[in-house]
Amino acid sequence: MRDRASGQFLNKEKTAMFFSSNTDSENRRKILREGGDLVKGSYERYLGLPTLVGKSKYNTFRCLKEGVWQKINNWKNSFLSSAGKEIMIKTVLQAIPSYTMSVFKLPKKLICKELNGMLAKFWWGNQQRECCIQWRSWKKMGQSKENGGVGFRDLENFNLALPGRILQNPSSLTTKIYKEKYLRNFSLLEVKLGNTPSLIWRSVWSYMGLLKEGLRWRVGNGNKIQIWGQK
């Protein structure tokens, strides 16, 4: 089966068909007939990302928490010094959800409470003691070392900024698709969320507020400046 838009052929070993409830049976038969013999199987993830996100976003991305937990429970981490823990958190533990956060905006419960709580417990405690005193809030630990922190990444703000990078490459196929679907009649700063948006578009759209806060207006040639205001 060849994609008429891109001219590429589908890899049948990595292809599965999914139809919404609104797809009539005749169109289903046509698509399946054009596709030929496809491998039947369950493809819940593709390139490490979920192909479908159900009603519970927390359950969909809970595997990130489990990945961080497995790294923390490594017996070798019991012998890490403070410097070793700092490197472990910055280069390994906080990097585990980065790939997923570059596409999806994760639930606050998962980021603010559970992931940050696990990292704080790992920093202040050890493997032998379940309870530990956290002498400083994790938010303050994210400040620079000059301001009394350690410089740990703020996962919530990091997740807010990452999905917006999808639109930074105008020539990419992803950018062209989203421009055609959501930005056809609006500029980037005027675009609305729309009806029944995908989770990826919700994640990108939530980045717009952060983008507008950092924008600065240049005068340029002055053609768009209205000296006397609008009537």
Side-chain angles (χ1 to χ4, degrees):
M1 183 177 180
R2 184 173 182 176
D3 184 8
R4 296 179 180 178
S6 62
Q8 298 179 346
F9 289 90
L10 293 177
N11 187 340
K12 294 184 179 181
E13 296 182 355
K14 298 182 178 180
T15 303
M17 291 291 183
F18 174 80
F19 299 99
S20 69
S21 58
N22 297 326
T23 307
D24 58 68
S25 57
E26 181 63 25
N27 287 331
R28 294 188 185 189
R29 286 194 293 269
K30 289 181 180 180
I31 294 174
L32 290 174
R33 184 170 60 251
E34 291 291 333
D37 296 328
L38 297 176
V39 175
K40 294 180 175 60
S42 176
Y43 297 93
E44 297 180 356
R45 305 187 71 82
Y46 181 72
L47 298 178
L49 297 174
T51 55
L52 294 174
V53 179
K55 294 182 179 180
S56 177
K57 293 189 294 181
Y58 175 82
N59 291 331
T60 302
F61 299 109
R62 188 173 56 183
C63 58
L64 298 174
K65 173 186 173 182
E66 297 171 355
V68 173
W69 182 251
Q70 290 177 359
K71 292 292 184 180
I72 289 178
N73 280 344
N74 191 327
W75 67 272
K76 295 181 181 180
N77 295 337
S78 303
F79 306 99
L80 289 177
S81 61
S82 297
K85 287 184 177 182
E86 179 182 348
I87 296 174
M88 179 72 175
I89 292 175
K90 290 181 177 180
T91 61
V92 179
L93 300 180
Q94 290 191 326
I96 290 176
S98 296
Y99 177 59
T100 305
M101 288 194 300
S102 65
V103 180
F104 299 103
K105 184 179 180 182
L106 303 182
K108 283 189 175 182
K109 176 184 176 182
L110 181 62
I111 297 179
C112 300
K113 293 184 178 180
E114 299 187 355
L115 287 180
N116 285 343
M118 292 167 61
L119 297 179
K121 184 177 179 180
F122 172 69
W123 172 257
W124 294 108
N126 54 51
Q127 301 297 98
Q128 286 73 30
R129 293 185 303 171
E130 291 292 333
C131 299
C132 58
I133 299 176
Q134 299 184 17
W135 298 100
R136 195 173 178 85
S137 68
W138 192 249
K139 184 176 182 180
K140 293 182 178 179
M141 294 293 292
Q143 298 177 353
S144 63
K145 293 185 178 180
E146 290 79 5
N147 295 326
V150 186
F152 293 137
R153 180 180 294 161
D154 187 333
L155 292 180
E156 184 179 7
N157 291 333
F158 189 64
N159 188 198
L160 184 63
L162 274 182
R165 298 176 60 186
I166 294 177
L167 301 178
Q168 288 184 358
N169 185 5
S171 60
S172 68
L173 178 60
T174 304
T175 303
K176 292 179 181 179
I177 292 174
Y178 277 98
K179 282 186 176 181
E180 186 66 22
K181 185 174 182 180
Y182 298 105
L183 301 170
R184 180 183 297 181
N185 301 319
F186 302 94
S187 66
L188 184 61
L189 299 179
E190 298 172 344
V191 66
K192 306 297 182 181
L193 182 60
N195 298 323
T196 62
S198 64
L199 180 59
I200 299 180
W201 176 247
R202 285 181 179 272
S203 304
V204 174
W205 188 80
S206 63
Y207 162 77
M208 298 303 175
L210 182 65
L211 175 64
K212 293 177 181 179
E213 289 181 4
L215 288 178
R216 296 295 182 271
W217 187 48
R218 288 187 176 181
V219 175
N221 55 18
N223 291 336
K224 295 184 178 180
I225 299 178
Q226 299 180 1
I227 299 177
W228 306 109
Q230 296 181 350
K231 294 183 179 180

Short mmCIF file of all heavy atoms in Angstrom, two decimals, residues 36-78:
data_model
loop_
_atom_site.label_atom_id
_atom_site.label_comp_id
_atom_site.label_asym_id
_atom_site.label_seq_id
_atom_site.Cartn_x
_atom_site.Cartn_y
_atom_site.Cartn_z
N GLY A 36 -4.19 -4.55 1.85
CA GLY A 36 -3.70 -5.91 1.68
C GLY A 36 -3.64 -6.65 3.00
O GLY A 36 -4.37 -6.36 3.94
N ASP A 37 -2.77 -7.62 3.06
CA ASP A 37 -2.63 -8.43 4.27
C ASP A 37 -1.73 -7.72 5.26
O ASP A 37 -0.51 -7.68 5.09
CB ASP A 37 -2.04 -9.81 3.92
CG ASP A 37 -2.97 -10.60 3.03
OD1 ASP A 37 -4.19 -10.41 3.17
OD2 ASP A 37 -2.48 -11.37 2.18
N LEU A 38 -2.33 -7.14 6.29
CA LEU A 38 -1.58 -6.45 7.32
C LEU A 38 -1.38 -7.35 8.52
O LEU A 38 -2.22 -8.20 8.82
CB LEU A 38 -2.31 -5.18 7.77
CG LEU A 38 -2.48 -4.10 6.70
CD1 LEU A 38 -3.30 -2.95 7.24
CD2 LEU A 38 -1.14 -3.60 6.21
N VAL A 39 -0.27 -7.16 9.20
CA VAL A 39 -0.01 -7.94 10.39
C VAL A 39 -0.96 -7.52 11.49
O VAL A 39 -1.08 -6.33 11.80
CB VAL A 39 1.46 -7.76 10.84
CG1 VAL A 39 1.71 -8.49 12.16
CG2 VAL A 39 2.40 -8.27 9.77
N LYS A 40 -1.64 -8.47 12.07
CA LYS A 40 -2.58 -8.16 13.14
C LYS A 40 -1.86 -8.28 14.47
O LYS A 40 -1.21 -9.28 14.75
CB LYS A 40 -3.78 -9.11 13.10
CG LYS A 40 -4.66 -8.94 11.87
CD LYS A 40 -5.81 -9.90 11.91
CE LYS A 40 -6.75 -9.65 10.73
NZ LYS A 40 -6.08 -9.83 9.46
N GLY A 41 -1.95 -7.26 15.27
CA GLY A 41 -1.28 -7.28 16.57
C GLY A 41 -1.64 -6.05 17.36
O GLY A 41 -2.45 -5.22 16.94
N SER A 42 -1.05 -5.94 18.51
CA SER A 42 -1.31 -4.80 19.38
C SER A 42 -0.11 -3.86 19.34
O SER A 42 1.01 -4.24 19.69
CB SER A 42 -1.54 -5.28 20.83
OG SER A 42 -1.71 -4.18 21.69
N TYR A 43 -0.35 -2.64 18.88
CA TYR A 43 0.72 -1.64 18.80
C TYR A 43 0.35 -0.48 19.71
O TYR A 43 -0.11 0.57 19.27
CB TYR A 43 0.90 -1.18 17.35
CG TYR A 43 1.34 -2.28 16.42
CD1 TYR A 43 0.41 -3.02 15.70
CD2 TYR A 43 2.68 -2.59 16.27
CE1 TYR A 43 0.81 -4.02 14.84
CE2 TYR A 43 3.09 -3.59 15.43
CZ TYR A 43 2.16 -4.31 14.72
OH TYR A 43 2.56 -5.32 13.88
N GLU A 44 0.52 -0.72 21.00
CA GLU A 44 0.15 0.30 21.96
C GLU A 44 1.17 1.43 22.03
O GLU A 44 0.85 2.53 22.47
CB GLU A 44 -0.02 -0.34 23.34
CG GLU A 44 -1.15 -1.36 23.40
CD GLU A 44 -1.27 -1.98 24.77
OE1 GLU A 44 -0.41 -1.66 25.63
OE2 GLU A 44 -2.20 -2.76 25.00
N ARG A 45 2.40 1.16 21.61
CA ARG A 45 3.44 2.18 21.64
C ARG A 45 4.18 2.17 20.31
O ARG A 45 4.34 1.13 19.67
CB ARG A 45 4.42 1.92 22.79
CG ARG A 45 3.76 1.81 24.15
CD ARG A 45 4.78 1.73 25.25
NE ARG A 45 5.46 2.99 25.45
CZ ARG A 45 4.96 4.00 26.17
NH1 ARG A 45 3.78 3.88 26.75
NH2 ARG A 45 5.62 5.12 26.31
N TYR A 46 4.65 3.34 19.92
CA TYR A 46 5.44 3.47 18.70
C TYR A 46 6.55 4.45 18.96
O TYR A 46 6.30 5.58 19.38
CB TYR A 46 4.56 3.94 17.53
CG TYR A 46 5.34 4.07 16.23
CD1 TYR A 46 5.76 2.93 15.55
CD2 TYR A 46 5.66 5.31 15.71
CE1 TYR A 46 6.48 3.03 14.37
CE2 TYR A 46 6.36 5.43 14.53
CZ TYR A 46 6.77 4.28 13.85
OH TYR A 46 7.49 4.38 12.69
N LEU A 47 7.77 4.02 18.75
CA LEU A 47 8.95 4.84 19.03
C LEU A 47 8.97 5.33 20.47
O LEU A 47 9.39 6.45 20.77
CB LEU A 47 9.04 6.03 18.07
CG LEU A 47 9.17 5.69 16.58
CD1 LEU A 47 9.20 6.96 15.75
CD2 LEU A 47 10.44 4.86 16.32
N GLY A 48 8.49 4.49 21.37
CA GLY A 48 8.51 4.81 22.79
C GLY A 48 7.37 5.67 23.27
O GLY A 48 7.29 5.97 24.47
N LEU A 49 6.45 6.06 22.38
CA LEU A 49 5.33 6.92 22.75
C LEU A 49 4.02 6.16 22.57
O LEU A 49 3.90 5.31 21.69
CB LEU A 49 5.30 8.19 21.89
CG LEU A 49 6.49 9.13 22.03
CD1 LEU A 49 6.38 10.26 21.02
CD2 LEU A 49 6.59 9.69 23.43
N PRO A 50 3.01 6.45 23.39
CA PRO A 50 1.72 5.77 23.25
C PRO A 50 1.02 6.19 21.97
O PRO A 50 1.00 7.38 21.62
CB PRO A 50 0.94 6.22 24.49
CG PRO A 50 1.57 7.51 24.88
CD PRO A 50 3.02 7.39 24.53
N THR A 51 0.47 5.23 21.25
CA THR A 51 -0.26 5.54 20.02
C THR A 51 -1.65 6.07 20.31
O THR A 51 -2.21 6.86 19.53
CB THR A 51 -0.37 4.29 19.15
OG1 THR A 51 -0.97 3.22 19.91
CG2 THR A 51 1.01 3.84 18.69
N LEU A 52 -2.24 5.64 21.42
CA LEU A 52 -3.56 6.11 21.83
C LEU A 52 -3.53 6.49 23.30
O LEU A 52 -2.93 5.78 24.11
CB LEU A 52 -4.62 5.03 21.61
CG LEU A 52 -4.92 4.63 20.16
CD1 LEU A 52 -5.88 3.46 20.13
CD2 LEU A 52 -5.50 5.81 19.38
N VAL A 53 -4.14 7.60 23.62
CA VAL A 53 -4.23 8.05 25.01
C VAL A 53 -5.70 8.01 25.42
O VAL A 53 -6.53 8.70 24.83
CB VAL A 53 -3.67 9.48 25.18
CG1 VAL A 53 -3.80 9.92 26.63
CG2 VAL A 53 -2.22 9.52 24.74
N GLY A 54 -6.02 7.19 26.40
CA GLY A 54 -7.40 7.03 26.82
C GLY A 54 -7.86 8.16 27.72
O GLY A 54 -7.25 9.24 27.79
N LYS A 55 -8.95 7.91 28.42
CA LYS A 55 -9.51 8.94 29.30
C LYS A 55 -8.59 9.25 30.47
O LYS A 55 -8.55 10.37 30.95
CB LYS A 55 -10.88 8.48 29.81
CG LYS A 55 -11.93 8.36 28.72
CD LYS A 55 -13.28 7.96 29.30
CE LYS A 55 -14.34 7.87 28.21
NZ LYS A 55 -15.66 7.47 28.75
N SER A 56 -7.86 8.25 30.93
CA SER A 56 -6.95 8.45 32.06
C SER A 56 -5.53 8.70 31.55
O SER A 56 -4.82 7.76 31.18
CB SER A 56 -6.99 7.23 32.99
OG SER A 56 -6.05 7.39 34.05
N LYS A 57 -5.15 9.96 31.49
CA LYS A 57 -3.80 10.27 31.05
C LYS A 57 -2.77 9.79 32.06
O LYS A 57 -1.64 9.42 31.70
CB LYS A 57 -3.65 11.79 30.85
CG LYS A 57 -4.47 12.32 29.69
CD LYS A 57 -4.12 13.76 29.39
CE LYS A 57 -4.53 14.67 30.53
NZ LYS A 57 -4.21 16.09 30.25
N TYR A 58 -3.16 9.77 33.32
CA TYR A 58 -2.23 9.32 34.36
C TYR A 58 -1.83 7.87 34.13
O TYR A 58 -0.65 7.52 34.20
CB TYR A 58 -2.87 9.49 35.73
CG TYR A 58 -2.04 8.94 36.86
CD1 TYR A 58 -1.00 9.69 37.40
CD2 TYR A 58 -2.27 7.67 37.36
CE1 TYR A 58 -0.22 9.18 38.42
CE2 TYR A 58 -1.50 7.16 38.38
CZ TYR A 58 -0.48 7.91 38.91
OH TYR A 58 0.30 7.40 39.92
N ASN A 59 -2.79 7.00 33.85
CA ASN A 59 -2.47 5.59 33.62
C ASN A 59 -1.65 5.38 32.36
O ASN A 59 -0.84 4.46 32.28
CB ASN A 59 -3.76 4.78 33.55
CG ASN A 59 -4.47 4.68 34.89
OD1 ASN A 59 -3.84 4.74 35.95
ND2 ASN A 59 -5.79 4.56 34.87
N THR A 60 -1.86 6.25 31.37
CA THR A 60 -1.11 6.13 30.13
C THR A 60 0.37 6.41 30.33
O THR A 60 1.23 5.72 29.77
CB THR A 60 -1.69 7.09 29.07
OG1 THR A 60 -3.06 6.79 28.85
CG2 THR A 60 -0.93 6.96 27.75
N PHE A 61 0.68 7.41 31.15
CA PHE A 61 2.07 7.83 31.33
C PHE A 61 2.67 7.36 32.65
O PHE A 61 3.75 7.82 33.03
CB PHE A 61 2.17 9.36 31.25
CG PHE A 61 1.71 9.91 29.94
CD1 PHE A 61 0.51 10.62 29.85
CD2 PHE A 61 2.44 9.73 28.78
CE1 PHE A 61 0.07 11.13 28.65
CE2 PHE A 61 2.01 10.23 27.57
CZ PHE A 61 0.83 10.93 27.50
N ARG A 62 2.00 6.48 33.33
CA ARG A 62 2.50 5.99 34.61
C ARG A 62 3.79 5.20 34.46
O ARG A 62 4.58 5.08 35.39
CB ARG A 62 1.43 5.12 35.29
CG ARG A 62 1.76 4.70 36.70
CD ARG A 62 0.59 4.00 37.34
NE ARG A 62 0.16 2.86 36.55
CZ ARG A 62 -0.90 2.10 36.85
NH1 ARG A 62 -1.63 2.39 37.92
NH2 ARG A 62 -1.24 1.08 36.09
N CYS A 63 4.04 4.68 33.26
CA CYS A 63 5.27 3.91 33.03
C CYS A 63 6.52 4.77 33.23
O CYS A 63 7.60 4.24 33.53
CB CYS A 63 5.26 3.31 31.62
SG CYS A 63 5.10 4.53 30.31
N LEU A 64 6.39 6.10 33.07
CA LEU A 64 7.55 6.98 33.31
C LEU A 64 7.95 6.94 34.77
O LEU A 64 9.14 6.90 35.10
CB LEU A 64 7.20 8.41 32.90
CG LEU A 64 6.85 8.63 31.43
CD1 LEU A 64 6.40 10.06 31.20
CD2 LEU A 64 8.04 8.29 30.53
N LYS A 65 6.96 6.93 35.64
CA LYS A 65 7.23 6.83 37.07
C LYS A 65 7.91 5.50 37.39
O LYS A 65 8.86 5.45 38.19
CB LYS A 65 5.92 6.96 37.84
CG LYS A 65 6.02 6.70 39.33
CD LYS A 65 4.65 6.71 39.97
CE LYS A 65 4.73 6.27 41.43
NZ LYS A 65 3.38 6.23 42.06
N GLU A 66 7.46 4.44 36.77
CA GLU A 66 8.05 3.13 37.01
C GLU A 66 9.49 3.08 36.51
O GLU A 66 10.35 2.44 37.12
CB GLU A 66 7.21 2.05 36.32
CG GLU A 66 5.79 1.95 36.89
CD GLU A 66 4.89 1.05 36.07
OE1 GLU A 66 5.35 0.58 35.01
OE2 GLU A 66 3.74 0.82 36.49
N GLY A 67 9.77 3.75 35.38
CA GLY A 67 11.13 3.80 34.87
C GLY A 67 12.08 4.52 35.81
O GLY A 67 13.21 4.08 36.03
N VAL A 68 11.62 5.64 36.37
CA VAL A 68 12.43 6.37 37.33
C VAL A 68 12.64 5.55 38.59
O VAL A 68 13.75 5.50 39.16
CB VAL A 68 11.76 7.73 37.67
CG1 VAL A 68 12.52 8.44 38.79
CG2 VAL A 68 11.71 8.62 36.44
N TRP A 69 11.60 4.86 39.04
CA TRP A 69 11.67 4.05 40.25
C TRP A 69 12.69 2.91 40.09
O TRP A 69 13.42 2.58 41.02
CB TRP A 69 10.29 3.51 40.58
CG TRP A 69 10.23 2.68 41.83
CD1 TRP A 69 10.06 1.34 41.93
CD2 TRP A 69 10.37 3.16 43.17
NE1 TRP A 69 10.07 0.94 43.23
CE2 TRP A 69 10.25 2.05 44.03
CE3 TRP A 69 10.56 4.42 43.74
CZ2 TRP A 69 10.34 2.14 45.41
CZ3 TRP A 69 10.64 4.51 45.12
CH2 TRP A 69 10.53 3.40 45.93
N GLN A 70 12.73 2.29 38.94
CA GLN A 70 13.68 1.20 38.69
C GLN A 70 15.12 1.71 38.75
O GLN A 70 16.01 1.03 39.27
CB GLN A 70 13.40 0.56 37.34
CG GLN A 70 12.12 -0.25 37.29
CD GLN A 70 11.84 -0.82 35.92
OE1 GLN A 70 12.59 -0.60 34.97
NE2 GLN A 70 10.73 -1.55 35.79
N LYS A 71 15.36 2.90 38.21
CA LYS A 71 16.71 3.47 38.27
C LYS A 71 17.10 3.81 39.71
O LYS A 71 18.25 3.59 40.11
CB LYS A 71 16.78 4.73 37.40
CG LYS A 71 16.67 4.47 35.91
CD LYS A 71 17.87 3.73 35.37
CE LYS A 71 17.79 3.57 33.85
NZ LYS A 71 18.95 2.83 33.31
N ILE A 72 16.17 4.34 40.47
CA ILE A 72 16.47 4.72 41.85
C ILE A 72 16.76 3.49 42.70
O ILE A 72 17.63 3.50 43.58
CB ILE A 72 15.29 5.53 42.45
CG1 ILE A 72 15.23 6.92 41.79
CG2 ILE A 72 15.44 5.68 43.96
CD1 ILE A 72 14.07 7.76 42.26
N ASN A 73 16.06 2.39 42.45
CA ASN A 73 16.20 1.19 43.25
C ASN A 73 17.44 0.36 42.92
O ASN A 73 17.64 -0.71 43.50
CB ASN A 73 14.96 0.29 43.10
CG ASN A 73 13.82 0.77 43.97
OD1 ASN A 73 14.02 1.56 44.89
ND2 ASN A 73 12.63 0.32 43.69
N ASN A 74 18.24 0.81 42.01
CA ASN A 74 19.50 0.10 41.72
C ASN A 74 20.37 0.09 42.97
O ASN A 74 20.61 1.12 43.59
CB ASN A 74 20.23 0.81 40.57
CG ASN A 74 21.39 0.00 40.03
OD1 ASN A 74 22.05 -0.74 40.77
ND2 ASN A 74 21.61 0.13 38.75
N TRP A 75 20.87 -1.07 43.34
CA TRP A 75 21.63 -1.19 44.58
C TRP A 75 22.89 -0.34 44.58
O TRP A 75 23.39 0.07 45.63
CB TRP A 75 22.00 -2.65 44.83
CG TRP A 75 22.97 -3.23 43.84
CD1 TRP A 75 22.66 -3.83 42.65
CD2 TRP A 75 24.39 -3.26 43.94
NE1 TRP A 75 23.80 -4.23 42.00
CE2 TRP A 75 24.88 -3.90 42.78
CE3 TRP A 75 25.31 -2.82 44.91
CZ2 TRP A 75 26.24 -4.10 42.55
CZ3 TRP A 75 26.66 -3.03 44.67
CH2 TRP A 75 27.11 -3.66 43.51
N LYS A 76 23.44 -0.05 43.39
CA LYS A 76 24.65 0.75 43.32
C LYS A 76 24.42 2.19 43.77
O LYS A 76 25.36 2.88 44.18
CB LYS A 76 25.20 0.75 41.88
CG LYS A 76 25.66 -0.63 41.41
CD LYS A 76 26.19 -0.56 39.99
CE LYS A 76 26.64 -1.94 39.51
NZ LYS A 76 27.16 -1.90 38.13
N ASN A 77 23.16 2.65 43.72
CA ASN A 77 22.86 4.02 44.13
C ASN A 77 23.02 4.22 45.63
O ASN A 77 23.08 5.35 46.11
CB ASN A 77 21.43 4.39 43.71
CG ASN A 77 21.27 4.41 42.20
OD1 ASN A 77 22.24 4.57 41.46
ND2 ASN A 77 20.04 4.24 41.74
N SER A 78 23.07 3.12 46.39
CA SER A 78 23.22 3.24 47.84
C SER A 78 24.59 3.80 48.22
O SER A 78 24.77 4.31 49.33
CB SER A 78 23.03 1.87 48.49
OG SER A 78 21.76 1.33 48.17
#
